[in-house]
Amino acid sequence: MTNEQRSYNQYCPLARTLDILGARWTLLIVRELLSGPKRFKDLQEALVGIGTNLLSTRLKEMESNDLVFKSKLPPPGVAAVYELTEHGRKLDETLLSMMRWGIPLLEKAKKANEHVRPHWLLYGMLSTFNPSLAQGISETYEFNVGGEVFHMRIHEGQVTGDMSKGHNPDLIWVSDSEHFMALAFGLTTPQKAFEDGAVKTGNVEMIERMLRIFDPVQC
Amino acid sequence: MTNEQRSYNQYCPLARTLDILGARWTLLIVRELLSGPKRFKDLQEALVGIGTNLLSTRLKEMESNDLVFKSKLPPPGVAAVYELTEHGRKLDETLLSMMRWGIPLLEKAKKANEHVRPHWLLYGMLSTFNPSLAQGISETYEFNVGGEVFHMRIHEGQVTGDMSKGHNPDLIWVSDSEHFMALAFGLTTPQKAFEDGAVKTGNVEMIERMLRIFDPVQC
DNA sequence: CGGCATCCATTTTGATACTG
DNA sequence: CAGTATCAAAATGGATGCCG
């Protein structure tokens, strides 16, 4: 058959987790599926370099490990999609933790020829959410970065976010990835971003508050 | 030379993290070093199957990625040891999160010929710490499992733990791995464990409280 | 075209032998 | 003990072919 599933063979919660998640690409597939069901093609395009055969193999492994399942979207657009199971969705806490650790590695600079997708950055920002600074705030932010729409809603000290429009967002941000990163990493000021027209709805104070609640620079 | 460092080449906090941690064995090495500096031999013995060449390669990669550094223990016992850097120690949150996800995978049953080290289980337990149930409790538990000594100290809603004896522990538990797991997974009762003599210091109520604060069954 | 399966060159890993 | 050297086996990347 395909994979002999090389196991660490250790009775340890970490080792058992790595037996399932440790193979190359697996966690990046989970990352992609965190923002909703995706077609084979979508995954292939987001995961530059994976090769169709390996993607296919991984998805099957993940299916048999109860991380994803295959379903069909209802019309219009009847397409087979891959979706996270409930078990798989429970990995969000772990992935956010890994993202938080990885943010300083971005070093405020994108290497030449490195790939970027706006939702990677938006998830990174989400991972820096600071509940204690969000107490008493109830706001919705909508980001349109490089054409990808994402929103975050802060309510009762918690945040939720996904790739969709927000309901009556208090802040609407529109820019490309570069300008978004510049703001997130403090390379530009909210005032300048506002003057540049990146803010379609909302004001400078709102961006400043948002940046306090999500602060990658502190990571 | 040796390693061409296969990178995902993505400007994403998760991908950058996986570029550093994604290789086989790396996270298990971090796990071992979380409980203090270790010699090459100690690591090799804990990581059954790694092969000395690969362990050597990994440690060098981890050194150049600022995860570990090599140091010498002071006399007596002047030995070269590997130690986590501060950067490396920041991975504890992520590893605990992965352990928490992995606990249900243990399924209350150890497979035949699977390896176990008591500190793996103790870290697993540590990962299930529930701060809200620890409010107002100030206690120290000492575990001697299969000859390995570990302690956890609960204070001001937080827990700390490592592989050493506790200071004036309120509870002292002594058993082998099997009996410890049976307690942790609810396959035996605190009362029975007490009658079996696993509790050297402390009483049944203390075990019950401890099991509420650390509850793998809830994971 | 979406969703794979096959083939093959290149890397990575595992196992063992060997050295300071 | 602390590694290095060597080599076979497995996993991966990339191209290509197939089939509804």
Side-chain angles (χ1 to χ4, degrees):
Chain A
M1 277 282 284
T2 45
N3 258 346
E4 184 47 38
Q5 279 284 37
R6 192 134 60 175
S7 167
Y8 287 115
N9 203 37
Q10 297 184 353
Y11 190 65
C12 159
L14 178 63
R16 288 269 181 103
T17 295
L18 291 172
D19 280 345
I20 288 181
L21 303 176
R24 196 165 162 77
W25 298 109
T26 303
L27 280 177
L28 294 187
I29 295 173
V30 175
R31 176 195 67 189
E32 291 305 310
L33 296 181
L34 276 179
S35 53
K38 297 280 179 298
R39 290 179 309 172
F40 192 90
K41 185 92 180 306
D42 299 328
L43 294 172
Q44 194 194 342
E45 281 172 3
L47 307 173
V48 182
I50 192 177
T52 55
N53 55 346
L54 193 46
L55 177 54
S56 175
T57 301
R58 283 289 174 276
L59 286 168
K60 274 175 199 153
E61 289 168 7
M62 293 171 77
E63 239 181 295
S64 71
N65 284 325
D66 189 31
L67 292 178
V68 307
F69 64 99
K70 224 168 157 174
S71 67
K72 286 194 189 303
L73 283 185
V78 190
V81 290
Y82 295 88
E83 196 166 344
L84 282 182
T85 61
E86 197 188 321
H87 187 224
R89 261 184 281 117
K90 286 192 187 131
L91 284 167
D92 63 347
E93 187 207 330
T94 297
L95 289 204
L96 290 175
S97 171
M98 295 184 81
M99 288 178 191
R100 224 171 290 134
W101 192 84
I103 282 183
L105 302 174
L106 295 180
E107 285 166 3
K108 308 179 188 183
K110 179 181 152 322
K111 293 172 194 158
N113 90 350
E114 217 174 16
H115 310 281
V116 207
R117 295 293 168 116
H119 65 278
W120 301 343
L121 307 177
L122 289 158
Y123 265 113
M125 170 141 259
L126 200 57
S127 77
T128 69
F129 177 68
N130 185 333
S132 62
L133 294 180
Q135 289 301 333
I137 295 178
S138 187
E139 278 178 346
T140 299
Y141 309 130
E142 179 178 302
F143 300 91
N144 182 322
V145 177
E148 284 191 6
V149 180
F150 197 100
H151 86 274
M152 301 177 191
R153 177 161 178 266
I154 296 170
H155 190 60
E156 295 180 345
Q158 299 204 299
V159 68
T160 54
D162 63 38
M163 301 203 62
S164 68
K165 285 178 166 294
H167 286 294
N168 274 329
D170 303 286
L171 173 70
I172 298 184
W173 171 278
V174 180
S175 79
D176 57 20
S177 295
E178 283 66 29
H179 284 82
F180 177 74
M181 288 309 292
L183 180 79
F185 279 129
L187 302 179
T188 187
T189 62
Q191 179 63 40
K192 265 209 192 91
F194 187 80
E195 286 164 6
D196 285 356
V199 179
K200 303 307 178 190
T201 298
N203 53 43
V204 174
E205 288 69 38
M206 211 167 267
I207 309 181
E208 285 169 344
R209 182 163 55 244
M210 191 263 295
L211 284 178
R212 274 197 301 276
I213 300 176
F214 302 100
D215 194 350
V217 179
Q218 299 300 329
C219 276
Chain B
M1 277 285 283
T2 45
N3 256 347
E4 183 48 35
Q5 280 284 41
R6 191 134 60 176
S7 166
Y8 287 115
N9 202 36
Q10 297 184 353
Y11 190 65
C12 160
L14 178 62
R16 288 269 180 104
T17 295
L18 291 172
D19 280 345
I20 288 181
L21 302 176
R24 194 165 164 80
W25 297 109
T26 302
L27 281 177
L28 294 188
I29 295 173
V30 175
R31 176 195 66 191
E32 290 305 311
L33 295 180
L34 275 179
S35 52
K38 296 280 180 296
R39 290 181 307 171
F40 191 91
K41 184 91 180 307
D42 299 328
L43 294 172
Q44 194 194 343
E45 280 173 5
L47 307 173
V48 182
I50 192 177
T52 54
N53 57 344
L54 192 47
L55 177 53
S56 176
T57 303
R58 283 287 175 276
L59 286 168
K60 274 174 200 155
E61 290 167 7
M62 292 171 78
E63 238 180 297
S64 70
N65 284 325
D66 189 33
L67 292 177
V68 306
F69 65 99
K70 222 169 156 173
S71 67
K72 287 195 189 301
L73 283 186
V78 191
V81 291
Y82 294 89
E83 196 165 344
L84 281 183
T85 62
E86 197 188 322
H87 188 224
R89 260 183 281 119
K90 287 193 187 130
L91 285 167
D92 63 346
E93 187 206 330
T94 299
L95 289 204
L96 290 176
S97 172
M98 295 183 81
M99 288 178 190
R100 222 171 291 132
W101 192 83
I103 283 182
L105 302 173
L106 294 180
E107 285 165 4
K108 307 181 189 182
K110 178 180 151 326
K111 294 172 194 158
N113 90 350
E114 217 173 17
H115 310 282
V116 207
R117 296 293 168 115
H119 64 278
W120 301 343
L121 307 178
L122 288 159
Y123 265 112
M125 171 143 258
L126 198 57
S127 76
T128 68
F129 177 68
N130 185 333
S132 61
L133 294 180
Q135 289 301 332
I137 295 178
S138 185
E139 277 179 346
T140 298
Y141 309 129
E142 179 178 304
F143 300 92
N144 182 324
V145 176
E148 284 190 8
V149 179
F150 198 100
H151 86 274
M152 301 178 191
R153 177 159 178 268
I154 296 171
H155 189 61
E156 295 180 346
Q158 299 205 301
V159 69
T160 54
D162 63 38
M163 301 203 64
S164 67
K165 285 178 166 295
H167 285 295
N168 274 329
D170 303 286
L171 172 70
I172 298 184
W173 171 279
V174 180
S175 79
D176 57 20
S177 295
E178 283 66 29
H179 284 82
F180 178 74
M181 288 308 293
L183 179 79
F185 279 130
L187 303 179
T188 187
T189 63
Q191 178 65 41
K192 264 206 192 95
F194 187 81
E195 286 163 7
D196 285 356
V199 179
K200 303 307 177 190
T201 298
N203 53 43
V204 174
E205 288 71 39
M206 210 167 270
I207 310 182
E208 285 170 343
R209 183 163 56 242
M210 191 264 294
L211 284 178
R212 273 197 302 277
I213 301 176
F214 302 100
D215 194 350
V217 178
Q218 298 301 329
C219 275

Short mmCIF file of all heavy atoms in Angstrom, two decimals, chain B residues 111-160:
data_model
loop_
_atom_site.label_atom_id
_atom_site.label_comp_id
_atom_site.label_asym_id
_atom_site.label_seq_id
_atom_site.Cartn_x
_atom_site.Cartn_y
_atom_site.Cartn_z
N LYS B 111 -0.01 0.11 24.47
CA LYS B 111 0.18 -1.00 23.55
C LYS B 111 1.36 -1.84 23.98
O LYS B 111 2.29 -1.33 24.60
CB LYS B 111 0.44 -0.46 22.14
CG LYS B 111 -0.75 0.26 21.54
CD LYS B 111 -0.37 0.92 20.23
CE LYS B 111 -1.45 1.91 19.80
NZ LYS B 111 -0.94 2.92 18.88
N ALA B 112 1.33 -3.09 23.63
CA ALA B 112 2.46 -3.96 23.96
C ALA B 112 3.70 -3.38 23.29
O ALA B 112 3.61 -2.75 22.23
CB ALA B 112 2.20 -5.37 23.46
N ASN B 113 4.82 -3.54 23.89
CA ASN B 113 6.13 -3.10 23.39
C ASN B 113 6.26 -1.61 23.14
O ASN B 113 7.21 -1.17 22.51
CB ASN B 113 6.55 -3.91 22.17
CG ASN B 113 6.10 -3.32 20.84
OD1 ASN B 113 5.29 -2.38 20.77
ND2 ASN B 113 6.63 -3.85 19.78
N GLU B 114 5.34 -0.82 23.64
CA GLU B 114 5.48 0.62 23.56
C GLU B 114 6.35 1.05 24.74
O GLU B 114 6.27 0.49 25.82
CB GLU B 114 4.09 1.27 23.67
CG GLU B 114 3.91 2.50 22.82
CD GLU B 114 2.48 3.00 22.86
OE1 GLU B 114 1.72 2.60 23.77
OE2 GLU B 114 2.11 3.78 21.99
N HIS B 115 7.18 2.05 24.52
CA HIS B 115 8.05 2.52 25.60
C HIS B 115 7.30 3.50 26.51
O HIS B 115 6.39 4.18 26.06
CB HIS B 115 9.28 3.20 25.02
CG HIS B 115 9.97 2.38 23.98
ND1 HIS B 115 10.79 1.32 24.28
CD2 HIS B 115 9.93 2.43 22.62
CE1 HIS B 115 11.23 0.77 23.17
NE2 HIS B 115 10.73 1.42 22.14
N VAL B 116 7.68 3.57 27.76
CA VAL B 116 7.13 4.57 28.69
C VAL B 116 8.22 5.11 29.58
O VAL B 116 9.12 4.38 29.98
CB VAL B 116 6.10 3.99 29.69
CG1 VAL B 116 5.13 5.06 30.11
CG2 VAL B 116 5.44 2.77 29.19
N ARG B 117 8.14 6.39 29.86
CA ARG B 117 8.95 7.00 30.90
C ARG B 117 8.00 7.76 31.79
O ARG B 117 7.15 8.53 31.28
CB ARG B 117 9.97 7.99 30.31
CG ARG B 117 11.00 7.37 29.43
CD ARG B 117 11.91 6.48 30.24
NE ARG B 117 12.72 5.66 29.37
CZ ARG B 117 14.04 5.75 29.28
NH1 ARG B 117 14.67 6.63 30.05
NH2 ARG B 117 14.71 4.97 28.47
N PRO B 118 8.13 7.57 33.07
CA PRO B 118 7.21 8.25 33.99
C PRO B 118 7.07 9.75 33.73
O PRO B 118 5.97 10.29 33.77
CB PRO B 118 7.84 7.97 35.36
CG PRO B 118 8.51 6.66 35.19
CD PRO B 118 9.03 6.65 33.78
N HIS B 119 8.16 10.42 33.42
CA HIS B 119 8.02 11.87 33.27
C HIS B 119 7.17 12.26 32.07
O HIS B 119 6.59 13.33 32.03
CB HIS B 119 9.38 12.58 33.24
CG HIS B 119 10.26 12.25 32.10
ND1 HIS B 119 11.06 11.13 32.07
CD2 HIS B 119 10.50 12.90 30.93
CE1 HIS B 119 11.74 11.13 30.94
NE2 HIS B 119 11.43 12.18 30.22
N TRP B 120 7.03 11.37 31.09
CA TRP B 120 6.11 11.67 29.99
C TRP B 120 4.69 11.75 30.52
O TRP B 120 3.91 12.64 30.14
CB TRP B 120 6.17 10.59 28.91
CG TRP B 120 7.52 10.39 28.30
CD1 TRP B 120 8.59 11.25 28.37
CD2 TRP B 120 7.96 9.27 27.54
NE1 TRP B 120 9.65 10.72 27.69
CE2 TRP B 120 9.30 9.50 27.17
CE3 TRP B 120 7.34 8.08 27.13
CZ2 TRP B 120 10.04 8.59 26.41
CZ3 TRP B 120 8.07 7.17 26.37
CH2 TRP B 120 9.42 7.44 26.01
N LEU B 121 4.34 10.82 31.39
CA LEU B 121 2.99 10.79 31.93
C LEU B 121 2.76 11.97 32.87
O LEU B 121 1.70 12.59 32.89
CB LEU B 121 2.76 9.48 32.68
CG LEU B 121 3.08 8.22 31.87
CD1 LEU B 121 2.88 6.98 32.71
CD2 LEU B 121 2.21 8.16 30.63
N LEU B 122 3.78 12.28 33.64
CA LEU B 122 3.65 13.38 34.59
C LEU B 122 3.49 14.70 33.86
O LEU B 122 2.70 15.56 34.26
CB LEU B 122 4.86 13.38 35.52
CG LEU B 122 4.82 12.21 36.52
CD1 LEU B 122 6.20 11.91 37.07
CD2 LEU B 122 3.86 12.51 37.65
N TYR B 123 4.20 14.86 32.75
CA TYR B 123 4.00 16.06 31.95
C TYR B 123 2.61 16.08 31.35
O TYR B 123 1.97 17.12 31.25
CB TYR B 123 5.05 16.17 30.84
CG TYR B 123 6.22 17.02 31.25
CD1 TYR B 123 7.47 16.48 31.42
CD2 TYR B 123 6.04 18.39 31.49
CE1 TYR B 123 8.55 17.24 31.83
CE2 TYR B 123 7.10 19.16 31.90
CZ TYR B 123 8.35 18.60 32.06
OH TYR B 123 9.40 19.36 32.47
N GLY B 124 2.14 14.91 30.95
CA GLY B 124 0.79 14.83 30.43
C GLY B 124 -0.21 15.30 31.45
O GLY B 124 -1.10 16.10 31.16
N MET B 125 -0.04 14.84 32.67
CA MET B 125 -0.92 15.28 33.76
C MET B 125 -0.82 16.79 33.95
O MET B 125 -1.83 17.48 34.07
CB MET B 125 -0.50 14.54 35.03
CG MET B 125 -1.17 15.05 36.26
SD MET B 125 -1.55 13.71 37.39
CE MET B 125 -3.29 13.49 37.08
N LEU B 126 0.38 17.28 33.96
CA LEU B 126 0.61 18.72 34.13
C LEU B 126 -0.16 19.52 33.08
O LEU B 126 -0.68 20.61 33.35
CB LEU B 126 2.11 18.98 34.00
CG LEU B 126 2.68 20.29 34.55
CD1 LEU B 126 2.35 20.44 36.02
CD2 LEU B 126 4.20 20.30 34.35
N SER B 127 -0.25 18.96 31.88
CA SER B 127 -0.89 19.70 30.78
C SER B 127 -2.39 19.86 31.01
O SER B 127 -3.03 20.67 30.36
CB SER B 127 -0.63 19.00 29.45
OG SER B 127 -1.45 17.84 29.32
N THR B 128 -2.95 19.07 31.93
CA THR B 128 -4.40 19.13 32.14
C THR B 128 -4.77 20.05 33.29
O THR B 128 -5.92 20.08 33.72
CB THR B 128 -4.97 17.72 32.46
OG1 THR B 128 -4.47 17.31 33.74
CG2 THR B 128 -4.54 16.72 31.41
N PHE B 129 -3.80 20.77 33.79
CA PHE B 129 -4.05 21.68 34.92
C PHE B 129 -5.20 22.64 34.65
O PHE B 129 -5.25 23.28 33.61
CB PHE B 129 -2.78 22.47 35.21
CG PHE B 129 -2.93 23.48 36.30
CD1 PHE B 129 -3.13 23.08 37.61
CD2 PHE B 129 -2.87 24.84 36.02
CE1 PHE B 129 -3.25 24.02 38.63
CE2 PHE B 129 -3.00 25.78 37.03
CZ PHE B 129 -3.20 25.37 38.34
N ASN B 130 -6.11 22.72 35.58
CA ASN B 130 -7.27 23.62 35.45
C ASN B 130 -7.18 24.75 36.46
O ASN B 130 -7.53 24.57 37.63
CB ASN B 130 -8.56 22.81 35.66
CG ASN B 130 -9.79 23.65 35.41
OD1 ASN B 130 -9.76 24.88 35.56
ND2 ASN B 130 -10.87 23.01 35.01
N PRO B 131 -6.73 25.93 36.01
CA PRO B 131 -6.49 27.04 36.92
C PRO B 131 -7.71 27.41 37.76
O PRO B 131 -7.59 27.72 38.93
CB PRO B 131 -6.11 28.19 36.00
CG PRO B 131 -5.74 27.57 34.71
CD PRO B 131 -6.52 26.31 34.62
N SER B 132 -8.90 27.38 37.13
CA SER B 132 -10.07 27.85 37.85
C SER B 132 -10.40 26.95 39.04
O SER B 132 -10.96 27.40 40.03
CB SER B 132 -11.27 27.97 36.90
OG SER B 132 -11.58 26.71 36.36
N LEU B 133 -10.03 25.67 38.95
CA LEU B 133 -10.29 24.77 40.08
C LEU B 133 -9.17 24.82 41.11
O LEU B 133 -9.25 24.17 42.15
CB LEU B 133 -10.47 23.33 39.58
CG LEU B 133 -11.71 23.10 38.72
CD1 LEU B 133 -11.79 21.64 38.30
CD2 LEU B 133 -12.96 23.50 39.48
N ALA B 134 -8.13 25.57 40.80
CA ALA B 134 -6.99 25.63 41.72
C ALA B 134 -6.98 26.91 42.53
O ALA B 134 -6.09 27.14 43.35
CB ALA B 134 -5.69 25.51 40.93
N GLN B 135 -8.00 27.75 42.32
CA GLN B 135 -8.08 29.01 43.06
C GLN B 135 -8.07 28.76 44.56
O GLN B 135 -8.82 27.94 45.07
CB GLN B 135 -9.35 29.77 42.69
CG GLN B 135 -9.35 30.36 41.28
CD GLN B 135 -8.21 31.34 41.04
OE1 GLN B 135 -7.73 31.98 41.97
NE2 GLN B 135 -7.74 31.42 39.80
N GLY B 136 -7.21 29.49 45.24
CA GLY B 136 -7.19 29.42 46.70
C GLY B 136 -6.49 28.21 47.27
O GLY B 136 -6.41 28.02 48.48
N ILE B 137 -5.97 27.35 46.41
CA ILE B 137 -5.27 26.16 46.89
C ILE B 137 -3.77 26.41 46.85
O ILE B 137 -3.24 26.97 45.89
CB ILE B 137 -5.62 24.93 46.03
CG1 ILE B 137 -7.10 24.61 46.20
CG2 ILE B 137 -4.76 23.74 46.40
CD1 ILE B 137 -7.57 23.45 45.36
N SER B 138 -3.10 26.01 47.89
CA SER B 138 -1.65 26.13 47.93
C SER B 138 -1.10 24.82 48.46
O SER B 138 -1.14 24.57 49.67
CB SER B 138 -1.25 27.31 48.81
OG SER B 138 0.14 27.50 48.75
N GLU B 139 -0.65 23.96 47.54
CA GLU B 139 -0.22 22.62 47.94
C GLU B 139 0.91 22.14 47.06
O GLU B 139 1.05 22.56 45.92
CB GLU B 139 -1.39 21.63 47.82
CG GLU B 139 -2.30 21.63 49.02
CD GLU B 139 -3.47 20.66 48.88
OE1 GLU B 139 -3.73 20.16 47.76
OE2 GLU B 139 -4.12 20.39 49.89
N THR B 140 1.69 21.23 47.59
CA THR B 140 2.76 20.61 46.81
C THR B 140 2.57 19.09 46.81
O THR B 140 2.32 18.48 47.84
CB THR B 140 4.13 20.94 47.42
OG1 THR B 140 4.33 22.35 47.38
CG2 THR B 140 5.24 20.28 46.63
N TYR B 141 2.62 18.53 45.60
CA TYR B 141 2.50 17.09 45.45
C TYR B 141 3.82 16.52 44.97
O TYR B 141 4.43 17.07 44.06
CB TYR B 141 1.41 16.73 44.43
CG TYR B 141 0.09 17.42 44.68
CD1 TYR B 141 -0.56 18.10 43.66
CD2 TYR B 141 -0.52 17.38 45.93
CE1 TYR B 141 -1.77 18.74 43.87
CE2 TYR B 141 -1.75 18.00 46.16
CZ TYR B 141 -2.37 18.69 45.13
OH TYR B 141 -3.56 19.30 45.34
N GLU B 142 4.22 15.43 45.55
CA GLU B 142 5.44 14.77 45.07
C GLU B 142 5.08 13.39 44.55
O GLU B 142 4.41 12.62 45.23
CB GLU B 142 6.46 14.67 46.20
CG GLU B 142 7.75 13.98 45.77
CD GLU B 142 8.77 13.93 46.91
OE1 GLU B 142 9.11 14.99 47.45
OE2 GLU B 142 9.20 12.82 47.26
N PHE B 143 5.54 13.09 43.36
CA PHE B 143 5.28 11.79 42.76
C PHE B 143 6.57 11.04 42.56
O PHE B 143 7.54 11.59 42.02
CB PHE B 143 4.59 11.94 41.40
CG PHE B 143 3.29 12.65 41.46
CD1 PHE B 143 3.22 14.02 41.30
CD2 PHE B 143 2.12 11.95 41.69
CE1 PHE B 143 2.01 14.69 41.36
CE2 PHE B 143 0.90 12.62 41.75
CZ PHE B 143 0.85 13.99 41.59
N ASN B 144 6.59 9.81 43.01
CA ASN B 144 7.70 8.93 42.70
C ASN B 144 7.11 7.79 41.88
O ASN B 144 6.47 6.89 42.41
CB ASN B 144 8.32 8.42 44.00
CG ASN B 144 9.52 7.54 43.73
OD1 ASN B 144 9.55 6.79 42.77
ND2 ASN B 144 10.52 7.64 44.60
N VAL B 145 7.31 7.88 40.60
CA VAL B 145 6.69 6.91 39.69
C VAL B 145 7.79 6.12 39.00
O VAL B 145 8.63 6.69 38.30
CB VAL B 145 5.80 7.61 38.65
CG1 VAL B 145 5.24 6.60 37.66
CG2 VAL B 145 4.67 8.37 39.33
N GLY B 146 7.77 4.84 39.22
CA GLY B 146 8.79 3.98 38.61
C GLY B 146 10.20 4.46 38.92
O GLY B 146 11.10 4.31 38.12
N GLY B 147 10.35 5.06 40.10
CA GLY B 147 11.69 5.50 40.52
C GLY B 147 12.04 6.91 40.10
O GLY B 147 13.03 7.48 40.57
N GLU B 148 11.25 7.50 39.20
CA GLU B 148 11.49 8.89 38.83
C GLU B 148 10.73 9.82 39.76
O GLU B 148 9.55 9.61 40.02
CB GLU B 148 11.05 9.16 37.38
CG GLU B 148 12.00 8.62 36.33
CD GLU B 148 11.62 9.14 34.93
OE1 GLU B 148 10.75 10.02 34.82
OE2 GLU B 148 12.22 8.65 33.96
N VAL B 149 11.39 10.84 40.23
CA VAL B 149 10.74 11.76 41.16
C VAL B 149 10.36 13.05 40.45
O VAL B 149 11.16 13.62 39.71
CB VAL B 149 11.66 12.09 42.35
CG1 VAL B 149 10.98 13.07 43.29
CG2 VAL B 149 12.04 10.81 43.09
N PHE B 150 9.14 13.48 40.68
CA PHE B 150 8.59 14.66 40.02
C PHE B 150 7.72 15.37 41.05
O PHE B 150 7.12 14.75 41.89
CB PHE B 150 7.72 14.20 38.84
CG PHE B 150 7.42 15.26 37.83
CD1 PHE B 150 8.14 15.31 36.64
CD2 PHE B 150 6.40 16.18 38.03
CE1 PHE B 150 7.85 16.27 35.67
CE2 PHE B 150 6.11 17.14 37.07
CZ PHE B 150 6.85 17.18 35.89
N HIS B 151 7.69 16.69 41.01
CA HIS B 151 6.76 17.36 41.91
C HIS B 151 6.02 18.47 41.20
O HIS B 151 6.48 19.02 40.20
CB HIS B 151 7.47 17.89 43.15
CG HIS B 151 8.07 19.25 42.96
ND1 HIS B 151 9.32 19.44 42.43
CD2 HIS B 151 7.56 20.49 43.20
CE1 HIS B 151 9.57 20.74 42.37
NE2 HIS B 151 8.53 21.40 42.83
N MET B 152 4.84 18.76 41.73
CA MET B 152 4.03 19.85 41.21
C MET B 152 3.63 20.71 42.39
O MET B 152 3.24 20.20 43.43
CB MET B 152 2.76 19.32 40.55
CG MET B 152 3.04 18.37 39.40
SD MET B 152 1.51 17.74 38.73
CE MET B 152 2.16 16.45 37.66
N ARG B 153 3.73 22.02 42.20
CA ARG B 153 3.38 22.94 43.27
C ARG B 153 2.28 23.86 42.76
O ARG B 153 2.40 24.49 41.70
CB ARG B 153 4.60 23.76 43.67
CG ARG B 153 4.30 24.80 44.72
CD ARG B 153 5.55 25.23 45.46
NE ARG B 153 5.22 26.28 46.43
CZ ARG B 153 5.28 27.59 46.18
NH1 ARG B 153 5.69 28.01 44.99
NH2 ARG B 153 4.95 28.46 47.10
N ILE B 154 1.19 23.88 43.51
CA ILE B 154 0.06 24.73 43.14
C ILE B 154 0.03 25.92 44.07
O ILE B 154 0.04 25.77 45.30
CB ILE B 154 -1.26 23.94 43.26
CG1 ILE B 154 -1.23 22.81 42.25
CG2 ILE B 154 -2.45 24.85 43.01
CD1 ILE B 154 -2.35 21.84 42.42
N HIS B 155 0.01 27.10 43.47
CA HIS B 155 0.06 28.30 44.29
C HIS B 155 -0.52 29.47 43.50
O HIS B 155 -0.13 29.68 42.35
CB HIS B 155 1.52 28.59 44.68
CG HIS B 155 1.66 29.68 45.70
ND1 HIS B 155 1.10 29.58 46.96
CD2 HIS B 155 2.30 30.87 45.66
CE1 HIS B 155 1.40 30.68 47.65
NE2 HIS B 155 2.11 31.49 46.88
N GLU B 156 -1.45 30.16 44.10
CA GLU B 156 -2.07 31.33 43.47
C GLU B 156 -2.60 31.03 42.07
O GLU B 156 -2.36 31.79 41.13
CB GLU B 156 -1.08 32.50 43.44
CG GLU B 156 -0.73 32.99 44.84
CD GLU B 156 0.26 34.16 44.84
OE1 GLU B 156 0.86 34.41 43.78
OE2 GLU B 156 0.41 34.81 45.88
N GLY B 157 -3.28 29.92 41.95
CA GLY B 157 -3.92 29.57 40.69
C GLY B 157 -2.98 29.15 39.59
O GLY B 157 -3.37 29.00 38.43
N GLN B 158 -1.71 28.94 39.94
CA GLN B 158 -0.75 28.51 38.92
C GLN B 158 -0.08 27.22 39.35
O GLN B 158 -0.07 26.87 40.52
CB GLN B 158 0.32 29.58 38.73
CG GLN B 158 -0.26 30.90 38.25
CD GLN B 158 0.76 31.71 37.50
OE1 GLN B 158 1.81 32.06 38.02
NE2 GLN B 158 0.45 32.01 36.25
N VAL B 159 0.49 26.53 38.39
CA VAL B 159 1.21 25.31 38.73
C VAL B 159 2.62 25.37 38.16
O VAL B 159 2.85 25.91 37.08
CB VAL B 159 0.49 24.05 38.18
CG1 VAL B 159 0.56 24.00 36.68
CG2 VAL B 159 1.10 22.79 38.78
N THR B 160 3.55 24.86 38.92
CA THR B 160 4.90 24.66 38.42
C THR B 160 5.27 23.23 38.75
O THR B 160 4.78 22.66 39.72
CB THR B 160 5.92 25.60 39.09
OG1 THR B 160 5.82 25.45 40.51
CG2 THR B 160 5.66 27.05 38.72
#
